[in-house]
Amino acid sequence: MINKVWKAMGVLGICTCLTLGVPAEAKAAEIAVETSTTLYARIDSSAAVKDMPLAGGQVLTQVPEGQSYEVAETSKDGWLKIRTSQGEGYIPSSSATLIEKTQEKVDQSVKQRREVVDYALQFVGGRYVYGGVNPSKGVDCSGFTRYVLKYAAGVNLSHSSRAQSGEGRLVSYEEARPGDLVFYGKNGSINHVALYMGEGRVVHASTEKTGIIVTNVMYRKPVKFVSVLN
């Protein structure tokens, strides 16, 4: 009876490990987007741009009806300061309508890293082949990271986990970002490399039995983290 219980627990443990190794949905970190709002003045009637907010100020230029100009300072005492190609100057507030324009700026570094991870994830389920260089046909661990980073980011790496560990900038686990490389080893020698996805996960060509999979970064104790991306 005891033996049966231990066998059952063993089977349960194996199933649990397999489940952890294949998440229901794997994806890269979200792209960082910065949103900024800029105020513009749409000219309702042609106006003279003056060097001072005074009726008797010197005229710098004329702004035609229908054009829009960035606002340097909001309305004060009936005047609005705008930016023109001739420099900053003042126009009567009554001659323009204020418009807010929202712009989104994408962190290109984060975007590239997400693209690298997304590119790698399309090969999950592929075969592990020792010495292989193409994940569509079969690939080993360093062949996988080499292929992904070459075709997703234009980064050229050696076909060796040990060599790849020296082809980048050393970072800590806390500093590691999606697209960085994670190295594992034994007795002081590196023997495996994986691609970090972020959120404590890696995608890698693991073994002939498992192929290309997603696992927890701590499925083995990492030796070092290296960044080859900006």
Side-chain angles (χ1 to χ4, degrees):
M1 180 64 181
I2 293 177
N3 288 337
K4 290 182 178 180
V5 171
W6 280 110
K7 287 181 180 179
M9 290 178 67
V11 171
L12 179 60
I14 293 172
C15 292
T16 301
C17 290
L18 292 175
T19 302
L20 290 174
V22 187
E25 181 182 2
K27 59 182 180 180
E30 293 298 320
I31 295 177
V33 178
E34 294 182 2
T35 302
S36 61
T37 301
T38 305
L39 196 62
Y40 287 87
R42 185 183 64 200
I43 308 302
D44 296 326
S45 57
S46 180
V49 181
K50 300 190 175 184
D51 64 343
M52 295 186 294
L54 300 170
Q58 181 181 346
V59 176
L60 301 176
T61 185
Q62 292 281 336
V63 287
E65 179 182 345
Q67 294 296 310
S68 294
Y69 299 87
E70 185 178 349
V71 174
E73 291 179 11
T74 53
S75 180
K76 183 178 180 181
D77 298 328
W79 293 88
L80 192 66
K81 191 175 185 180
I82 62 173
R83 294 189 174 99
T84 72
S85 57
Q86 281 73 39
E88 297 182 352
Y90 297 87
I91 60 172
S93 301
S94 58
S95 64
T97 299
L98 296 181
I99 302 172
E100 286 187 351
K101 292 186 179 181
T102 301
Q103 296 178 318
E104 291 187 344
K105 181 181 178 181
V106 175
D107 186 328
Q108 294 300 319
S109 173
V110 174
K111 181 181 178 182
Q112 181 192 48
R113 288 172 175 276
R114 177 172 181 169
E115 290 172 347
V116 167
V117 174
D118 285 343
Y119 186 77
L121 289 174
Q122 70 177 304
F123 300 111
V124 171
R127 295 171 57 223
Y128 175 100
V129 174
Y130 181 75
V133 296
N134 188 331
S136 296
K137 300 178 181 179
V139 69
D140 60 17
C141 66
S142 59
F144 177 66
T145 51
R146 178 174 180 265
Y147 186 96
V148 168
L149 284 161
K150 178 180 179 180
Y151 290 100
V155 176
N156 292 310
L157 297 173
S158 302
H159 189 184
S160 159
S161 59
R162 186 180 302 176
Q164 287 182 12
S165 69
E167 297 177 332
R169 177 174 58 88
L170 185 66
V171 296
S172 66
Y173 179 28
E174 292 73 24
E175 295 172 322
R177 301 168 64 192
D180 287 342
L181 299 176
V182 187
F183 295 90
Y184 302 88
K186 187 176 181 180
N187 299 326
S189 178
I190 289 173
N191 58 24
H192 189 66
V193 59
L195 186 77
Y196 189 56
M197 294 173 53
E199 300 181 350
R201 296 181 299 172
V202 292
V203 55
H204 55 135
S206 182
T207 65
E208 291 183 356
K209 183 177 180 180
T210 60
I212 301 172
I213 59 174
V214 171
T215 57
N216 188 295
V217 67
M218 294 298 177
Y219 87 103
R220 290 172 60 187
K221 185 178 181 180
V223 173
K224 65 190 300 189
F225 293 80
V226 168
S227 177
V228 295
L229 299 173
N230 292 329

